[in-house]
Amino acid sequence: MKKRFDVTGMTCASCQANVTRAVEKLGVNEVNVNLINESMSVDYDEDKLSGDDIIHAVEKIGYGASLKDKEKSTTADKPKEKDQEESNTRFRLRVSLVFLIPLLYIAMGPMIGLPVPSFMQGREGSINNAFIQFILTIPVLVVNRKFFINGFKGLFNKAPNMDTLVALGASAATFYGIFAIMRMAYGFGFNQPEIIDQYMHNLYFESAAVILTLITLGKYFEARSKGQTKASLENLINLAPKKATILVDGKEKSVDVSEIEKGDIILIRPGDSIPVDGEIIEGSSLLDEAALTGESIPVNKGVGDEVITATINKEGSFKFKATKVGEDTTLAQIINLVNEANETKAPIAKMADEISAIFVPAVILISIVTFIVWMALGYSFEFALNLMISVLVISCPCALGLATPMGIMVSTGKSAELGLLFKSAESLENLSKVDTILLDKTGTITEGRPQVTDVKTDIDYDEFIKLAISIENSSEHPLSNAIVTYAEENNIAPENVSDFNAISGKGISATYNGQRYLAGNLRLMKENNIDLKNYIEVADTYANEGKTSMYFADENQLIGLIAAKDLPKATSKIAIDELKNLGYEVTMVTGDNEKTAEAIRSDLGIDKKFADVLPQDKDKVVKQLQDMGKKVTMVGDGINDAPALARSDIGMAIGNGTDVAIDSADVVLMRNSLLDIVSAIELSKSTIKTIKQNLFWAFFYNVILIPVAAGLLYPFKGITLNPMFAAFAMSISSVFVCLNSLRLRGFKPEFKNQKAIDEVEKNASNNEYQNLSNNKEIKGEEKMTDTNKLVVNVNGMTCEHCKNHVEKALKELAFVENATVNLDEKNATVEYFGSVDEDQIKDAITEAGYEFNGIEYK
């Protein structure tokens, strides 16, 4: 049983390691903890453990845990919690800075000649000076008490973390400052001025305050970076509309999307977003599916076609019946896939996890050893303490912990935008290691919709076609569908048959008008000792043209054959060339005969082929390639591809393929295009490169700077590290990892033949619009081609940054095509299509931080 939990209180890689270790001790099958999402997935035996046992184990070591609410996992509630966390961090930072600035002035101003009040000057004012520094430090300690609570809780529970290091460092500095005040008071009381002089310039209050403020600054930037990291997923969550119009007894009724039930009839107008998955029952339109599939070309939809959640209606009105609602919708499944991928670990993260488990205890030990060694060497207490605090606060388990999950999370969010769904972090990493691409032919390389090109028969033509369609009508094979379509186009209707039998990988048999007939490939004919007559030469001619022949025979001899050709997708040749340019070996597997397969291989420039492969033997082809030392990515879309997808190193399923194929795959390509293989591979390589950079920085930073902080260079170069600079370096290291990972948000696949791709997409777009305009069954509102305009009045805009912010907020609304802000007029001109939701405009302006002041229609 696999369940997901929310985990609170984690701040670094050591926290993640502590939680993982605590849950693993319970004897679970698998546990994955995500530091950024503050979540955990656990696979365990419910007969041995319960969710409460897991929660108790996490709470026992000082963290919080609760079962994840499935409903909230696909809503915007979690982002709001993160916004609150960012807001709290910002507040702590502001308060810290308010008290830190005067503290630094008093503590360090005189060193650079800045004046301080007379009652704080010299030996006489030293107690006043020290006490005021202490008073200014207290609010910084209080407002950042979270570090002390979490840090010491972790220490007492034998699960120290980054907060423990910060708490120990700041506490040591603070207590030393208090000790110094006491020693100075002793000096005054017993008239020992040398003691006053010794301690008045070594208070360390400013070090404690600066450490906490700089770490909080780093946490603030980190929180903002995490927010941007999750932006793609949050955008997905917010895609679905909140309201929908359903038809009840023929009347329109506006309801919350959560109230829609399976079977409800929903009305969609131009500009509306699809609220749930369903099937069109009346009308037709063009739908923009870019948000889910990454496909920029609107798709023509008509009666009987499926519509998916969060896609946008661009043209006419239509009605559809809800078939999937709530957690069953495509959008919800995509969000769950992305979440699950984020909660798994890439193999590259294992070393970091092992180090994280011992990192904090090791740093605490190093800091203690540092203090003891320098004291033993005869250096002052203050010097040894200074280095001990520096070691504590410069160590950065944050950078180590963020290195992999930040990269994975940005990447999976970006991949969702592009219509590429990785089911795990492991598949995201392993895709970068493959060297061979194995492509199924039908439905993957080709359209999967063969068209009849030739008919050859010795009997009456109409009689032969009637026989063929009658036999093939009960089959679901693509070639059978092509024959049925051909017969329908020629107004030839099927007749009833009996004893229908599908022979896997070979064909079918049936009884028609009292006689048994066979229909299938050459293998089926030979196994039944059918007289082939002169049809072999005809079939060879067709095969050399890339056509597939379907043989028809009675119990003794062939009576005819029908040839069909499954045309390659428009982008298949381009994608294959792109993969070869990247250095991959491209191989095709097909059930077609040798000559037909060779014609297709030659036309598309494929490196190798496997022909005459039975459906159940495709996985044997994968194993054969793997036995040759190849790392194989198998790409397919059918039920018979599932075993091969499962056996391959990385299985890729075309998004419009069968559920079985998708379930067996590691990567789901939402679009029906081989170009997405290139995009997925390039994204995988970019992600692993970024993670390696992050890990290098995290290890390099800690390996180099911890010894420097411990004073290793002092005997040779006289170099030591002030705790304030150590805290600053720690904050910067985490921010670097976050910002480096965020670069993946700008990822764009690079195609060498972009011009050809643009031409294909342009033609496809024109065809979709042409198909819609030629559709004579459109019902409801007419297609809308004119874009309307309105003016939104906005107060509070003062600069170009404001302008960009408002324009972006407006452009993200589903019905807005463009928005242009005029700073002088304090308004925005909005171009829109379909109906306008004024509340959405108001909310968008308000959430952007500006004042909505009404709408004027042009």
Side-chain angles (χ1 to χ4, degrees), residues 309-327:
T309 313
T311 54
I312 300 171
N313 181 31
K314 303 287 286 186
E315 299 290 343
S317 293
F318 61 87
K319 299 172 186 174
F320 76 93
K321 180 171 70 175
T323 56
K324 294 179 181 178
V325 299
E327 285 293 307

Side-chain angles (χ1 to χ4, degrees), residues 714-742:
Y714 184 73
F716 310 103
K717 300 289 184 179
I719 297 174
T720 59
L721 208 57
N722 187 291
M724 292 184 285
F725 292 110
F728 178 75
M730 177 189 177
S731 298
I732 290 300
S733 66
S734 297
V735 173
F736 172 85
V737 167
C738 292
L739 294 179
N740 189 47
S741 300
L742 285 174

Side-chain angles (χ1 to χ4, degrees), residues 510-542:
T511 299
Y512 172 74
N513 286 341
Q515 186 172 354
R516 180 172 176 266
Y517 290 93
L518 295 172
N521 56 26
L522 186 59
R523 185 186 287 114
L524 180 65
M525 300 299 124
K526 288 182 176 179
E527 287 180 358
N528 286 272
N529 299 314
I530 300 297
D531 180 5
L532 302 175
K533 304 200 302 191
N534 65 338
Y535 282 95
I536 292 297
E537 291 79 8
V538 177
D540 283 346
T541 301
Y542 292 153

Side-chain angles (χ1 to χ4, degrees), residues 626-643:
Q626 289 174 329
D627 290 343
M628 296 165 60
K630 307 282 189 183
K631 293 286 185 181
V632 182
T633 289
M634 168 70 189
V635 187
D637 73 326
I639 290 175
N640 54 42
D641 296 325

Side-chain angles (χ1 to χ4, degrees), residues 300-414:
N300 187 16
K301 299 280 187 177
V303 174
D305 287 334
E306 180 187 16
V307 293
I308 54 179
T309 313
T311 54
I312 300 171
N313 181 31
K314 303 287 286 186
E315 299 290 343
S317 293
F318 61 87
K319 299 172 186 174
F320 76 93
K321 180 171 70 175
T323 56
K324 294 179 181 178
V325 299
E327 285 293 307
D328 296 327
T329 65
T330 301
L331 177 63
Q333 291 174 11
I334 290 174
I335 292 169
N336 285 334
L337 273 178
V338 175
N339 280 328
E340 287 174 12
N342 288 334
E343 288 170 358
T344 58
K345 280 192 173 67
I348 196 172
K350 290 180 180 177
M351 180 172 61
D353 287 345
E354 291 171 1
I355 293 174
S356 297
I358 61 171
F359 186 86
V360 174
V363 169
I364 293 174
L365 181 62
I366 291 170
S367 69
I368 294 171
V369 170
T370 298
F371 179 81
I372 294 172
V373 168
W374 287 110
M375 287 293 290
L377 292 173
Y379 287 84
S380 68
F381 179 86
E382 292 83 1
F383 182 84
L385 179 66
N386 185 77
L387 295 183
M388 184 185 80
I389 295 172
S390 293
V391 171
L392 287 171
V393 298
I394 201 169
S395 309
C396 193
C398 289
L400 202 58
L402 292 171
T404 301
M406 279 292 286
I408 294 295
M409 193 157 191
V410 179
S411 182
T412 51
K414 186 64 184 179

Side-chain angles (χ1 to χ4, degrees), residues 772-820:
L772 183 68
S773 62
N774 291 338
N775 190 337
K776 307 203 185 298
E777 296 183 4
I778 296 179
K779 299 177 183 178
E781 297 181 22
E782 291 296 320
K783 171 179 154 181
M784 297 184 61
T785 55
D786 295 330
T787 302
N788 300 312
K789 291 184 180 181
L790 57 82
V791 174
V792 183
N793 296 311
V794 183
N795 291 337
M797 299 186 296
T798 58
C799 61
E800 285 295 319
H801 175 75
C802 299
K803 173 184 176 182
N804 294 336
H805 212 180
V806 171
E807 287 180 351
K808 181 182 177 183
L810 290 170
K811 287 177 181 177
E812 288 179 350
L813 297 175
F815 52 83
V816 174
E817 290 230 318
N818 195 22
T820 306

Side-chain angles (χ1 to χ4, degrees), residues 347-569:
I348 196 172
K350 290 180 180 177
M351 180 172 61
D353 287 345
E354 291 171 1
I355 293 174
S356 297
I358 61 171
F359 186 86
V360 174
V363 169
I364 293 174
L365 181 62
I366 291 170
S367 69
I368 294 171
V369 170
T370 298
F371 179 81
I372 294 172
V373 168
W374 287 110
M375 287 293 290
L377 292 173
Y379 287 84
S380 68
F381 179 86
E382 292 83 1
F383 182 84
L385 179 66
N386 185 77
L387 295 183
M388 184 185 80
I389 295 172
S390 293
V391 171
L392 287 171
V393 298
I394 201 169
S395 309
C396 193
C398 289
L400 202 58
L402 292 171
T404 301
M406 279 292 286
I408 294 295
M409 193 157 191
V410 179
S411 182
T412 51
K414 186 64 184 179
S415 66
E417 286 183 7
L418 297 172
L420 317 169
L421 298 179
F422 292 88
K423 291 188 176 179
S424 67
E426 184 176 3
S427 62
L428 182 58
E429 177 179 344
N430 289 342
L431 181 58
S432 66
K433 301 175 183 177
V434 301
D435 51 34
T436 301
I437 312 296
L438 181 62
L439 304 174
D440 174 51
K441 190 205 82 172
T442 304
T444 302
I445 296 175
T446 64
E447 294 286 355
R449 297 189 297 271
Q451 299 174 357
V452 173
T453 57
D454 302 273
V455 177
K456 176 72 173 176
T457 181
D458 289 337
I459 63 175
D460 178 75
Y461 174 84
D462 288 342
E463 182 184 338
F464 176 64
I465 296 299
K466 183 177 285 289
L467 164 68
I469 187 179
S470 298
I471 295 175
E472 299 287 355
N473 196 43
S474 297
S475 172
E476 295 181 356
H477 193 280
L479 287 174
S480 301
N481 295 336
I483 293 170
V484 171
T485 301
Y486 179 76
E488 289 174 349
E489 290 172 351
N490 288 276
N491 298 315
I492 300 176
E495 294 184 2
N496 292 330
V497 298
S498 59
D499 301 325
F500 177 86
N501 181 38
I503 306 166
S504 178
K506 299 173 185 176
I508 56 177
S509 66
T511 299
Y512 172 74
N513 286 341
Q515 186 172 354
R516 180 172 176 266
Y517 290 93
L518 295 172
N521 56 26
L522 186 59
R523 185 186 287 114
L524 180 65
M525 300 299 124
K526 288 182 176 179
E527 287 180 358
N528 286 272
N529 299 314
I530 300 297
D531 180 5
L532 302 175
K533 304 200 302 191
N534 65 338
Y535 282 95
I536 292 297
E537 291 79 8
V538 177
D540 283 346
T541 301
Y542 292 153
N544 290 330
E545 297 171 358
K547 300 172 184 176
T548 301
S549 295
M550 177 80 82
Y551 297 85
F552 292 83
D554 57 24
E555 292 182 287
N556 300 309
Q557 63 181 2
L558 275 176
I559 58 174
L561 62 78
I562 297 177
K565 188 167 186 178
D566 189 4
L567 297 175
K569 297 171 184 173

